[in-house]
């Protein structure tokens, strides 16, 4: 073989080798579909975890607010019961004195569902 032949063969071998190396390094640098899916799963689970924590926090706030409202409603119910009993007591006392109490104003429609007694 002549020098020109060796030069041509060696440059061909170098060209093939460099093409193979470029292909291999490109493949090594590229991420696989599986890697992308794993990253997407991680992103989605992180977002879901944040949303679950946000919802749990909101639920705790709503439970506290509901407890406060229940306590207020219970107190209002006790106050209404006390006032009804007080008015009945005063009405009874006025009638026992021989007088007639003033006529009561009509009970508002919204209050009728809470007051089950005629005053």
């Amino acid at each position: 073989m002549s020098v020109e032949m060796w030069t041509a063969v060696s440059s061909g071998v170098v060209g093939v080798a460099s093409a193979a190396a470029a292909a291999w390094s490109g493949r090594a640098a590229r991420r696989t579909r599986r890697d992308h899916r794993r990253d997407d799963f991680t992103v989605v689970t992180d977002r879901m975890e944040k949303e679950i924590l946000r919802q749990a926090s909101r639920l705790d706030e709503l439970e506290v607010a509901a407890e406060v409202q229940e306590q207020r409603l219970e107190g209002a119910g006790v106050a209404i019961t006390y006032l009804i009993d007080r008015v009945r007591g005063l009405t009874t006392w006025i009638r026992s004195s021989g007088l007639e109490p003033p006529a009561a104003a009509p009970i508002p429609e919204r209050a009728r569902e809470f007051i089950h007694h005629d005053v």
Side-chain angles (χ1 to χ4, degrees), residues 60-77:
D60 291 342
E61 292 172 6
L62 290 174
E63 286 175 350
V64 168
E67 181 67 30
V68 168
Q69 286 180 347
E70 285 177 17
Q71 290 174 354
R72 289 182 67 201
L73 285 174
E74 185 179 330

Side-chain angles (χ1 to χ4, degrees), residues 3 7 19 34 41 64 69-70 72 82 109 113:
V3 174
T7 307
R34 194 171 175 188
F41 179 76
V64 168
Q69 286 180 347
E70 285 177 17
R72 289 182 67 201
Y82 169 77
E109 192 66 37
E113 65 181 281

Side-chain angles (χ1 to χ4, degrees), residues 31 33-49:
R31 300 182 62 157
R33 180 182 291 184
R34 194 171 175 188
D35 291 338
H36 288 295
R37 286 185 183 159
R38 183 172 50 237
D39 289 346
D40 291 345
F41 179 76
T42 305
V43 168
V44 169
T45 53
D46 288 345
R47 285 183 186 166
M48 285 176 55
E49 185 176 332

